[in-house]
Amino acid sequence: MSATDVTLLLHRWRDGDPEALDELTPLLYDELRRLASGKMWGERENHTLQATEVVHEAFVRLVGSDVAWQDRAHFLAVAARTMRRLLVDHARGRAREKRGGGLARVTLKPDDAVFQPPGEEILALDRALSELARRDERAASVVELHHFGGLTHDEVALVLGVSTSTVKRDLRVALAVLRREMSGDSGAN
């Protein structure tokens, strides 16, 4: 089914046609699964949240949302943001669990920290991405769609209505900014 057909079904659904949702469900769910297949957005293999769970929860939230769907690209953009929120919320929940539990607290010196716990990586990325969005919304969207949504450069370009070369340029700049933000070297603005 073409992107135009999906857009037409999204419009019918938005306008209250329940049959459109029945037709859309396998298409949209499969699209989300395609985006998530084979990877968990850079997460470790033993991650406690599986890609299928993320896709299922994102789909449930998207179907239950009150969004005036514009087209397939809009759906994918909202889906990528929803999946990002799910991963961040999951990481925050795991971090809360790790801080409690009646275990003895140990004070570490900066040199003692050899690695960042995996859940912390997604939280650091979320903070850096939020800061990037404050400065450059499109560049943040490129990262979000590519990293969290799993879209290719061409798909991101289609969603954002820009050229593929613009997407690649935004991604290079955004990744440099994110690396700097996540390393704690925010530099002078």
Side-chain angles (χ1 to χ4, degrees), residues 5-169:
D5 294 334
V6 171
T7 297
L8 291 173
L9 287 170
L10 283 166
H11 288 182
R12 283 181 36 213
W13 175 37
R14 179 189 64 202
D15 294 338
D17 181 353
E19 290 178 15
L21 180 58
D22 292 341
E23 292 178 54
L24 271 171
T25 297
L27 301 172
L28 298 178
Y29 191 80
D30 287 347
E31 182 78 15
L32 293 178
R33 277 201 342 226
R34 183 188 68 76
L35 295 175
S37 68
K39 64 179 178 175
M40 183 62 167
W41 306 284
E43 294 293 331
R44 66 194 188 283
E45 283 185 28
N46 63 346
H47 194 282
T48 58
L49 187 63
Q50 299 300 314
T52 303
E53 293 172 296
V54 172
V55 169
H56 180 75
E57 182 62 27
F59 186 76
V60 168
R61 288 184 184 190
L62 291 166
V63 168
S65 67
D66 187 23
V67 175
W69 302 111
Q70 298 166 12
D71 53 24
R72 177 183 169 274
H74 181 233
F75 175 82
L76 292 176
V78 174
R81 185 158 287 136
T82 300
M83 287 189 264
R84 172 184 169 198
R85 292 277 32 111
L86 286 167
L87 290 171
V88 168
D89 290 347
H90 180 73
R92 284 185 179 136
R94 297 279 298 164
R96 278 191 296 273
E97 290 173 17
K98 288 181 181 183
R99 284 193 297 268
L103 300 175
R105 293 191 180 268
V106 177
T107 302
L108 297 175
K109 297 180 295 282
D111 293 341
D112 292 336
V114 178
F115 71 97
Q116 196 174 29
E120 292 297 316
E121 291 171 4
I122 193 81
L123 295 175
L125 176 59
D126 181 60
R127 285 188 296 272
L129 197 52
S130 294
E131 178 59 26
L132 175 63
R134 190 180 66 73
R135 297 178 192 170
D136 186 342
E137 182 66 36
R138 187 181 71 206
S141 293
V142 167
V143 173
E144 191 170 61
L145 291 167
H146 184 66
H147 182 70
F148 290 96
L151 276 66
T152 66
H153 294 148
D154 291 337
E155 290 170 326
V156 172
L158 181 65
V159 167
L160 296 178
V162 297
S163 70
T164 301
S165 60
T166 297
V167 167
K168 289 177 182 178
R169 183 176 51 253

